[in-house]
Amino acid sequence: MDTNNTTIDYKKERVAYYKVLVGLLLLTAVTFIQPHLFMTESTFLAQMTIAVIKAWLIIMYYMHLKGDSLIGVMGIFSLVIVATFMVIVIGFDVANFQFGAESHITGPASAGVEHATPVQH
Amino acid sequence: MSHEYIPEIATDRDGNKHEVQGWQDDFYGGKLGFWLFMFTEVLMFGAMFMVLAYYNTLHPEAFIEASASLNRLLGGINTVILLVSALTMGLSLLKMRVGDVKGAKLMIWATILLAIAFLVIKGFEWRAEYNHGIFLMHGEMLPESGMAFGKKLFFGMYFTMTGIHGFHIIIGIGLMIWLLKRINAGKVTPAHHILHWNIALYWDIVHLIWVFVFPYYYMIGAGGVAGGH
Amino acid sequence: MSKSYFDETHTAIGHPKSTFMQWMLTVDHKRIGLMYAAVMFTFFFVAVATAFLMRLELFAPGAQFIDGDTFNQAFTLHGVIMIFLFIVPGVPAVLGNIVMPLMIGAKDVSFPRLNWFTFWLYILGCIVALASLFTDAGFADTGWTFYAPYSLTTSTNVIFTLVAAFILGMASILTGLNFLVTIHRLRAPGMTFFKMPLFVWGIYATAWIQLLATPVVGITLILAILEKYFGIGIFDPAKGGDPVLFEHLFWIYSHPAVYLMILPAFGIMSEIIPTFSRREIFGYRTIALSSASIAGIGYLVWGHHLYTSGMADTAKVIFSFLTFFVAIPTGIKFYDWVATMYKGKIILSTPMLWALGTIITFTIGGLTGVTIAMIGVDIHLQDTYYTVAHFHYAMLGGVVFLFFAGLHYWFPLVSGKMYNETHAKIAFYLQFVGFNLLWFPMFIAGYYGMPRRYFDYLPEFQIYHQVSFFGAVIFITGLIYMFVVFFKGWRNGKPSGTNPWNATTLEWHMPSSPPPLENHSKVPYVDFNPYEYHHGEPVVKFDYETMKRID
Amino acid sequence: MDVNNTLQGFNTMAATFAKDVDQAFWINFWISVILGLSVIIPMFYFAWKYREKNVKDEDIENVTHNTALEIAWTLIPTAMLMVLFYYGYTSMQVLRTMPAESESIVVHVEGKKWSWKHTYEANKNGFVHKSKELYVPKDTNIILKMTAPLNDVIHAYFVPAFRMKEDVVPGRVTKQWFHSEKLGTYDVECAEYCGTRHSDMYTKINVIPKAEYEAWFEGNSKVGPGEKEVEKSKGQELYDDNGCAGCHSIDTDATLVGPSLKGIGAKHDATYLKDAIVTPDKDVPEGFTAGVMPPFALPDADVDALVDYMTTGK
Ligand code: HEA
Ligand code: HEA
Ligand code: CUA
Ligand SMILES: [Cu+2]
């Protein structure tokens, strides 16, 4: 089991840190030009994809998870759980929101023009 | 437990010896524990992202509009600040591990400064929003204002999540100051640096959260309303 | 005589001389477990008192001696204490703390000082929870579910309760974290996952739920607080917020939480059945893995609490479908336990009586859970007493009964003494009869449409409530009786010796009774399965000085 | 409402789908009995057969596996569970598949602390019926569109005799429907906890013959069919419509949730009373807490009418 507690080569490790930083900075730059450059029809997806790549870099190199399969598996397990929550709630409940057209919170009133003060009739 | 811990030995029936892991001096255990703690953070923010996605699905246009109105320049600067601070924190741990205690302390100080800079910029952002009438319990966010539901919810979550993230940064600063004290007291040393290691991990997760908070709030509207979902 | 953990201890800070401070600052897992038990025991009287108050009030329709608001506060107090202060920390914090490290041959948990801190966090949570009883606005009247928008608009002191639930959640997370690391790191050499006793498996599965579900309710409570005091809007329909979202977030935690309660309790069952059948357990692996799969599937079924909430029908169907799959691994466990009795030698000691009693009561609780997992039927039964009866059968007739079984089972281990078996058995029968009288009529009342959280009800239902009341009297009598038996056993029971039940797992291989401070004198090497019996005798024997096998 | 209400028809099956739900329940019941006994009978049998006295230590056997049995007790219950899922699903479908609005009567339901209000669509004369109890014709589809005021809480419209229930959520519209084949009066209970008078939030569904319903619906009577119309002042009407009676008694001194309003005119002037309705938290009488009574944003004329009603009883 890799405990990351062994002796290390300072120079080599430092170079790795800088390399990752450059990568992250580049990706940040990409987030800024993306809306004007590519996947403009779905900024959201593009942005989230970039975020996932950034997160992966941080986890693997800055947080030294590379080579640690136990924690890695546990981490994936927790992510899967969060993802499942999302899929169920967003994919099944909200996607089939019932009687939305008549409801106040989703209906035409949500344009916000109508005053939202609770009114008793 | 300052005195040296000598692991116990268990002997099986064939006389082979097996080293026993005690709770004392368990570096990997300490790290594992901290990672587990970070998973709880993932779930906490995961739940908040779920709330965000919930309303995003109900009000896609309003979300993009609201996102477009955030200050991307300040958000971007803050992203870079956090990126660099993750580097300084990493370097400090690296220096600690190779025995350069002084350098490690220096790097922690650098991280603290960057963290404060982050908070200051965030403060300016919030103030500007306040002046635009967008703040909790204020102006456009009141129930009687005419702002669209989607926007209200977007900003409600924006203040909540950046607020809780900012709170994590403040905690992080506290932790780093504590770490410096422990280093000075000789409790955290190159041979025994699990605390340093875990605080570095904490700082990374604070950063990691921002990696998702930033695009979700600042960038999804960057392409204008056309760049929908 | 050698020193036991009652005589000496490690402390978190300094080296206090007074016994009292030694207890307050102790990091020893056994002492911490005992302190949890003592505190829960105190709160249990509060919760039982409120439960009894409700039963008394419901004896006849109309107001008897408390008003509606007080009744609402009573069931909230009862629910909050029972759930957050008692049953969620319950088995893990008491028996998990005391027994789990012993079972895996560890000296303590991985983070003893964190364990100490967690205990005090728990105390803090309890204090905050009960503090609002003494404020002007009074205890929350929201029910333990804190549904928005009610909890956001009521004038009672919900903030205290929300904060308390958050703190208790933190404590629960930290306990789970501590146990996970302990189980991963501190198992005795040779003890692979499939050589762990099944109670440890239960604790392990539970710890994952504590770790990965509690944060969701934590943040939900924070969001509710922010909503109430800063108006962030997410649960406020006037700003477009959706109250149903709160229900999602709440049950994302609170459903897994019910498995968090039951899994360690099932673990207790898996210890007791083989010991008192004097034979190896049937289907060790399936029991172990079913704990894991119950925990896993348990994450996906929270929506069965939302069948009538206005959630999308598609989502209901999916949740209903998934819900049924929890019953399968649970069923496998039950069949395995019963099969364990086959060709064994059944010794009906008190722990075994409790375990067998639970097989009956939890089967009823679980199968009625399956009834309300059917959407169409639950639309009728949701929020009626049928549901209330279901969860009391599951929680009281499942978790609490098994908790009691565990208390009887490990009582000699912890105290070094034996309680009076005859009296303990009488207490069991009283409670078993009382319990069924108390809750079974409620299934019928619920089926006929008696809604829950009703201070007042239609006269048709009176008969059920009255039977129930008498059940409660019998039950609580038995309960008090049982604690008297424990108390007497603790004061002047006969010394039990280290292994009074002829059990096989490691916690019964102690050098002395009660166990010494750092548990086993040496860490054993584990090259055997947890329940090895041969002709009714434990196979594995140790020399307690060196912890070498001598069989 | 006083508590001498009796729950009518809780054990009758009055709606068309009640029999589907009951069928599902009883199928479940018998499957549960079988599955439960499959655990409990062997348990008792083994506990008796292998009781301590009966077994010699040498006879104990460590049986730990039996693949055929294990597969059986996994697959058979699974199959049974799928049967249950199926019936749960189909019974839900009949409950949740709304009939076409053109072939049904649509009634709007508002649930609030602590009263129910039913509002019908306008009839031929353009008159809109509003009623506390629901009146519906036999053998007709009824759709209920339900909601609660934005500053209110969640309730649930539960009709035990029909086996139906759905939450009434502020900000959302939820629906349910029924089709009753039996004349009668059936109780409606509030099944989602909503505070002080949650257990008094009853109303009734009156299933009446079609002709009687038609006659009532097309008329302009302000009360239910068959009831004598009593002359009501505007103020009294408003008092009923807004559910004031849910919290205040006006004929007696009884304190429900808010103070009794009997003789309130003698204690306070009109300005005070107006404020008490529009901004109730301004002056809170002793023994009551702010925040319970919701503010009523009514037109001035209505507030005046209410105040008149409270002070003069007209
Ligand atoms: C310890 C706690 C505990 C446990 C273990 C369970 C177990 C289960 N529960 Fe329960 N439940 C609660 C505590 C618990 N529950 C609480 C507290 C509430 C209400 C909260 C509130 O609203 O305040 C609730 C509410 C609740 C509801 C919502 C009711 C409503 O509000 O309308 C539902 C619906 O599906 C449900 C289902 C189930 C199911 C399917 C199981 C299954 O896990 C049961 C599995 C067990 C068995 C099936 C029995 C044993 C097996 C056999 C004998 C083998 C053969 C049988 C088969 C294979 C079927 N529960
Ligand atoms: C662990 C969970 C638990 C337990 C044990 C009980 C036990 C009891 N409950 Fe409980 N009950 C709930 C959890 C529990 N309840 C919940 C969550 C609700 C819903 C609240 C809501 O609606 O919000 C509820 C609601 C509820 C109602 C419905 C209120 C309503 O809807 O109108 C009623 C009515 O009579 C009731 C009565 C009782 C009674 C008479 C007992 C008796 O059986 C009491 C006897 C007491 C015990 C059996 C205690 C067991 C021992 C201990 C707790 C401590 C031991 C500790 C050590 C030794 C270390 N309860
Ligand atoms: Cu309205 Cu309960
Ligand atoms: Cu559940």
Side-chain angles (χ1 to χ4, degrees):
Chain A
M1 203 181 294
D2 177 19
T3 64
N4 307 127
N5 198 16
T6 42
T7 37
I8 45 160
D9 178 351
Y10 177 66
K11 288 235 174 69
K12 229 176 89 190
E13 295 266 330
R14 195 180 55 181
V15 172
Y17 266 97
Y18 278 111
K19 275 191 194 155
V20 175
L21 178 71
V22 172
L24 289 171
L25 285 172
L26 279 177
L27 283 169
T28 310
V30 173
T31 57
F32 273 89
I33 49 175
Q34 176 275 330
H36 314 288
L37 208 63
F38 61 94
M39 283 180 78
T40 43
E41 73 291 345
S42 180
T43 309
F44 181 81
L45 263 185
Q47 291 287 340
M48 287 302 143
T49 317
I50 301 172
V52 168
I53 301 173
K54 283 170 83 175
W56 185 79
L57 280 174
I58 295 170
I59 292 170
M60 285 302 156
Y61 295 97
Y62 279 9
M63 300 169 92
H64 304 276
L65 203 58
K66 228 178 149 179
D68 193 326
S69 56
L70 176 64
I71 297 180
V73 169
M74 289 176 171
I76 290 171
F77 177 57
S78 13
L79 288 177
V80 166
I81 287 177
V82 176
T84 322
F85 293 165
M86 293 260 190
V87 169
I88 295 185
V89 174
I90 313 294
F92 295 115
D93 185 20
V94 189
N96 297 292
F97 197 95
Q98 282 190 315
F99 317 124
E102 286 139 294
S103 292
H104 176 76
I105 59 172
T106 48
S110 69
V113 206
E114 199 176 298
H115 58 116
T117 332
V119 179
Q120 314 278 334
H121 18 225
Chain B
M1 306 293 128
S2 47
H3 58 88
E4 203 51 35
Y5 166 70
I6 307 144
E8 224 184 288
I9 303 293
T11 321
D12 64 23
R13 287 209 279 188
D14 305 330
N16 301 322
K17 296 197 184 323
H18 301 265
E19 193 174 305
V20 176
Q21 177 66 57
W23 58 265
Q24 301 93 335
D25 237 5
D26 181 8
F27 179 85
Y28 191 77
K31 200 175 110 182
L32 181 65
F34 203 79
W35 269 98
L36 291 175
F37 172 73
M38 293 198 296
F39 296 154
T40 68
E41 296 274 345
V42 170
L43 267 115
M44 233 164 88
F45 276 90
M48 284 193 278
F49 274 112
M50 192 173 95
V51 173
L52 194 64
Y54 188 93
Y55 291 120
N56 193 347
T57 323
L58 292 181
H59 311 281
E61 284 91 23
F63 261 56
I64 286 175
E65 258 172 64
S67 161
S69 71
L70 287 181
N71 190 330
R72 267 189 294 286
L73 181 65
L74 292 184
I77 294 176
N78 259 350
T79 307
V80 175
I81 289 181
L82 272 192
L83 274 176
V84 177
S85 81
L87 176 84
T88 54
M89 195 65 197
L91 288 181
S92 89
L93 177 62
L94 210 56
K95 284 182 195 289
M96 175 59 78
R97 286 165 72 189
V98 297
D100 177 4
V101 176
K102 230 174 125 196
K105 274 163 60 180
L106 215 68
M107 281 297 166
I108 296 175
W109 276 114
T111 317
I112 293 180
L113 287 183
L114 287 166
I116 292 174
F118 178 94
L119 288 176
V120 170
I121 294 180
K122 193 87 242 162
F124 275 115
E125 245 187 284
W126 276 27
R127 218 186 66 170
E129 274 137 17
Y130 185 88
N131 291 338
H132 277 103
I134 295 182
F135 200 73
L136 298 176
M137 325 271 282
H138 172 75
E140 297 282 310
M141 297 284 288
L142 293 172
E144 55 268 23
S145 97
M147 191 160 75
F149 285 164
K151 286 189 169 180
K152 272 187 194 152
L153 293 163
F154 179 92
F155 286 115
M157 281 314 283
Y158 164 80
F159 287 112
T160 307
M161 285 178 77
T162 54
I164 292 180
H165 180 259
F167 182 69
H168 275 76
I169 299 228
I170 294 172
I171 298 276
I173 295 175
L175 286 174
M176 284 186 261
I177 290 173
W178 182 52
L179 176 62
L180 285 170
K181 280 185 77 176
R182 300 286 289 180
I183 296 179
N184 286 338
K187 301 273 187 191
V188 173
T189 60
H192 196 101
H193 63 270
I194 180 71
L195 184 69
H196 195 161
W197 183 285
N198 281 345
I199 290 176
L201 281 180
Y202 175 84
W203 196 250
D204 284 325
I205 192 110
V206 170
H207 181 193
L208 205 62
I209 291 162
W210 185 256
V211 163
F212 289 93
V213 170
F214 172 69
Y216 209 132
Y217 284 101
Y218 293 81
M219 300 308 298
I220 57 168
V225 182
H229 285 265
Chain C
M1 225 185 92
S2 57
K3 282 188 172 171
S4 77
Y5 71 102
F6 290 110
D7 306 314
E8 52 176 0
T9 194
H10 294 311
T11 51
I13 322 162
H15 301 278
K17 283 275 167 317
S18 78
T19 321
F20 177 73
M21 284 316 282
Q22 281 184 356
W23 275 91
M24 294 300 108
L25 295 176
T26 186
V27 296
D28 179 26
H29 63 102
K30 302 181 283 305
R31 283 197 178 197
I32 290 181
L34 274 183
M35 294 212 294
Y36 270 116
V39 176
M40 280 171 199
F41 181 49
T42 316
F43 288 124
F44 127 84
F45 272 113
V46 181
V48 172
T50 43
F52 195 66
L53 186 75
M54 285 191 284
R55 284 270 57 105
L56 216 55
E57 170 59 43
L58 291 172
F59 188 74
Q64 313 304 311
F65 54 90
I66 55 174
D67 61 21
D69 286 320
T70 316
F71 183 85
N72 295 344
Q73 290 173 321
F75 70 70
T76 308
L77 183 69
H78 169 77
V80 165
I81 292 186
M82 284 298 192
I83 299 279
F84 293 108
L85 270 62
F86 166 56
I87 202 168
V88 166
V91 181
V94 178
L95 296 175
N97 248 321
I98 297 180
V99 184
M100 186 271 288
L102 294 172
M103 282 184 154
I104 61 173
K107 301 268 173 219
D108 206 319
V109 292
S110 264
F111 309 112
R113 261 174 300 179
L114 181 67
N115 203 11
W116 170 77
F117 174 75
T118 308
F119 173 74
W120 287 101
L121 202 59
Y122 167 76
I123 299 293
L124 176 71
C126 296
I127 292 173
V128 176
L130 295 189
S132 57
L133 278 175
F134 306 101
T135 58
D136 273 349
F139 196 79
D141 64 345
T142 56
W144 80 282
T145 47
F146 308 120
Y147 274 12
Y150 189 79
S151 57
L152 307 175
T153 53
T154 172
S155 59
T156 52
N157 224 327
V158 256
I159 176 111
F160 275 64
T161 322
L162 293 177
V163 171
F166 180 78
I167 297 174
L168 293 164
M170 281 299 286
S172 176
I173 290 176
L174 293 177
T175 307
L177 186 157
N178 214 337
F179 287 177
L180 280 179
V181 179
T182 308
I183 294 172
H184 269 283
R185 297 294 292 164
L186 301 188
R187 274 168 291 129
M191 182 184 271
T192 57
F193 262 69
F194 285 113
K195 287 205 174 81
M196 293 193 311
L198 287 164
F199 180 66
V200 182
W201 267 100
I203 292 282
Y204 184 72
T206 298
W208 273 111
I209 305 177
Q210 286 178 301
L211 193 81
L212 293 186
T214 322
V216 179
V217 79
I219 195 68
T220 309
L221 300 173
I222 290 188
L223 290 176
I225 293 171
L226 291 176
E227 173 73 73
K228 195 171 165 94
Y229 295 95
F230 296 99
I232 56 174
I234 59 170
F235 303 131
D236 178 0
K239 291 183 181 172
D242 188 354
V244 177
L245 180 60
F246 181 90
E247 299 177 24
H248 270 303
L249 289 169
F250 181 83
W251 289 111
I252 282 179
Y253 164 74
S254 296
H255 180 79
V258 310
Y259 297 120
L260 180 169
M261 306 163 190
I262 198 73
L263 286 175
F266 282 166
I268 297 173
M269 180 93 98
S270 310
E271 295 299 319
I272 289 177
I273 300 266
T275 300
F276 295 95
S277 307
R278 294 283 190 267
R279 50 156 287 189
E280 198 166 324
I281 195 154
F282 187 99
Y284 170 86
R285 273 182 190 238
T286 45
I287 296 187
L289 293 177
S290 64
S291 290
S293 49
I294 291 174
I297 304 168
Y299 276 109
L300 311 179
V301 306
W302 75 85
H304 63 220
H305 298 269
L306 277 71
Y307 287 156
T308 63
S309 66
M311 180 173 73
D313 290 338
T314 325
K316 293 177 197 166
V317 176
I318 288 164
F319 278 123
S320 171
F321 185 71
L322 291 171
T323 300
F324 287 103
F325 284 91
V326 198
I328 296 164
T330 315
I332 292 176
K333 270 178 192 287
F334 273 75
Y335 289 116
D336 281 340
W337 288 324
V338 172
T340 303
M341 295 165 69
Y342 175 67
K343 296 209 166 164
K345 175 174 178 171
I346 313 297
I347 293 150
L348 288 179
S349 302
T350 323
M352 186 65 165
L353 277 182
W354 278 101
L356 297 185
T358 310
I359 288 189
I360 300 172
T361 49
F362 189 82
T363 298
I364 299 176
L367 289 169
T368 50
V370 172
T371 316
I372 49 182
M374 299 167 69
I375 316 174
V377 180
D378 184 59
I379 287 177
H380 176 60
L381 297 174
Q382 200 268 340
D383 266 338
T384 64
Y385 263 83
Y386 194 93
T387 312
V388 177
H390 152 65
F391 69 71
H392 280 91
Y393 261 90
M395 292 203 287
L396 186 52
V399 183
V400 176
F401 273 24
L402 284 170
F403 192 12
F404 290 166
L407 288 180
H408 284 98
Y409 182 56
W410 282 301
F411 184 85
L413 173 75
V414 172
S415 67
K417 305 209 178 98
M418 205 44 150
Y419 47 82
N420 183 316
E421 274 273 337
T422 322
H423 287 279
K425 281 181 189 166
I426 297 174
F428 162 77
Y429 285 113
L430 274 177
Q431 286 178 69
F432 187 79
V433 172
F435 169 80
N436 285 296
L437 266 180
L438 167 55
W439 288 113
F440 203 84
M442 289 301 142
F443 283 122
I444 305 167
Y447 176 73
Y448 284 145
M450 164 82 210
R452 67 191 279 205
R453 294 171 175 173
Y454 260 34
F455 156 68
D456 185 3
Y457 53 86
L458 302 174
E460 278 89 342
F461 297 119
Q462 188 171 9
I463 178 71
Y464 308 109
H465 284 288
Q466 286 179 346
V467 174
S468 178
F469 173 80
F470 290 115
V473 173
I474 300 175
F475 182 77
I476 293 173
T477 312
L479 193 69
I480 293 170
Y481 194 32
M482 184 181 78
F483 279 107
V484 172
V485 172
F486 275 144
F487 184 71
K488 285 206 166 148
W490 190 282
R491 289 290 298 272
N492 36 27
K494 285 199 214 67
S496 62
T498 49
N499 191 357
W501 311 121
N502 254 340
T504 52
T505 39
L506 275 181
E507 82 272 24
W508 301 107
H509 295 294
M510 296 316 262
S512 62
S513 159
L517 173 58
E518 290 202 345
N519 306 346
H520 302 94
S521 37
K522 294 271 293 162
V523 177
Y525 182 82
V526 180
D527 50 4
F528 47 87
N529 291 325
Y531 310 103
E532 286 187 20
Y533 277 104
H534 181 72
H535 289 332
E537 276 299 310
V539 171
V540 179
K541 296 196 175 63
F542 286 101
D543 168 1
Y544 293 142
E545 279 303 307
T546 61
M547 286 309 277
K548 291 229 174 67
R549 277 182 70 169
I550 49 173
D551 50 276
Chain D
M1 186 182 302
D2 66 313
V3 277
N4 292 326
N5 188 6
T6 51
L7 182 65
Q8 289 164 40
F10 61 83
N11 50 1
T12 33
M13 299 195 289
T16 42
F17 43 62
K19 69 171 185 312
D20 296 274
V21 176
D22 278 24
Q23 184 200 23
F25 179 87
W26 289 107
I27 289 175
N28 165 276
F29 180 82
W30 290 112
I31 289 189
S32 294
V33 168
I34 294 170
L35 285 173
L37 291 182
S38 75
V39 171
I40 292 170
I41 290 179
M43 181 197 94
F44 273 112
Y45 177 67
F46 292 159
W48 168 79
K49 173 110 190 276
Y50 303 112
R51 61 191 181 276
E52 204 175 346
K53 276 183 239 130
N54 248 15
V55 181
K56 286 201 256 357
D57 276 349
E58 306 83 82
D59 296 339
I60 301 178
E61 270 180 56
N62 286 324
V63 189
T64 60
H65 290 286
N66 184 323
T67 313
L69 256 179
E70 285 177 77
I71 289 177
W73 73 47
T74 309
L75 291 188
I76 295 173
T78 308
M80 290 184 172
L81 286 177
M82 287 305 102
V83 172
L84 296 183
F85 167 72
Y86 174 78
Y87 282 101
Y89 172 65
T90 49
S91 55
M92 170 254 197
Q93 269 193 323
V94 285
L95 279 158
R96 300 294 309 159
T97 312
M98 302 293 148
E101 281 189 19
S102 53
E103 291 158 22
S104 334
I105 295 175
V106 176
V107 182
H108 297 265
V109 177
E110 187 187 60
K112 64 177 182 183
K113 284 181 190 164
W114 287 279
S115 60
W116 296 104
K117 188 165 85 182
H118 303 92
T119 311
Y120 291 76
E121 315 260 85
N123 66 10
K124 276 197 216 109
N125 324 336
F127 180 80
V128 175
H129 284 280
K130 290 181 183 164
S131 66
K132 276 202 193 114
E133 297 187 1
L134 181 64
Y135 300 95
V136 294
K138 185 172 164 287
D139 296 324
T140 315
N141 296 334
I142 317 291
I143 296 180
L144 302 177
K145 291 191 181 173
M146 311 183 296
T147 193
L150 291 185
N151 57 355
D152 210 90
V153 302
I154 306 178
H155 307 271
Y157 199 89
F158 176 29
V159 194
F162 295 175
R163 314 284 187 272
M164 65 182 231
K165 164 186 314 123
E166 183 80 0
D167 282 6
V168 179
V169 187
R172 280 190 180 222
V173 168
T174 53
K175 290 186 194 172
Q176 42 184 356
W177 78 283
F178 64 90
H179 179 119
S180 175
E181 290 169 323
K182 273 200 191 124
L183 294 177
T185 307
Y186 305 104
D187 276 278
V188 179
E189 304 175 309
C190 175
E192 186 63 61
Y193 174 65
C194 55
T196 313
R197 282 165 61 77
H198 166 55
S199 51
D200 283 327
M201 205 169 149
Y202 292 103
T203 186
K204 286 194 162 76
I205 294 182
N206 301 282
V207 180
I208 52 180
K210 254 190 180 150
E212 199 182 319
Y213 173 80
E214 293 292 326
W216 171 75
F217 183 73
E218 295 306 344
N220 293 1
S221 151
K222 284 181 182 168
V223 295
E227 282 175 37
K228 250 216 233 94
E229 190 149 3
V230 274
E231 194 54 40
K232 266 199 211 170
S233 70
K234 176 137 187 275
Q236 186 170 10
E237 212 169 281
L238 284 162
Y239 191 85
D240 289 347
D241 270 5
N242 286 300
C244 309
C247 299
H248 299 285
S249 53
I250 195 152
D251 308 324
T252 65
D253 282 329
T255 305
L256 298 176
V257 177
S260 158
L261 299 180
K262 190 178 173 195
I264 188 92
K267 286 183 226 152
H268 297 294
D269 59 15
T271 345
Y272 177 93
L273 293 178
K274 267 186 214 163
D275 280 352
I277 298 170
V278 184
T279 52
D281 289 352
K282 215 167 95 187
D283 271 303
V284 178
E286 218 181 292
F288 298 91
T289 39
V292 178
M293 175 166 161
F296 287 82
L298 299 168
D300 278 348
D302 287 4
V303 178
D304 288 339
L306 267 172
V307 171
D308 280 351
Y309 173 65
M310 285 191 285
T311 44
T312 63
K314 272 179 210 132

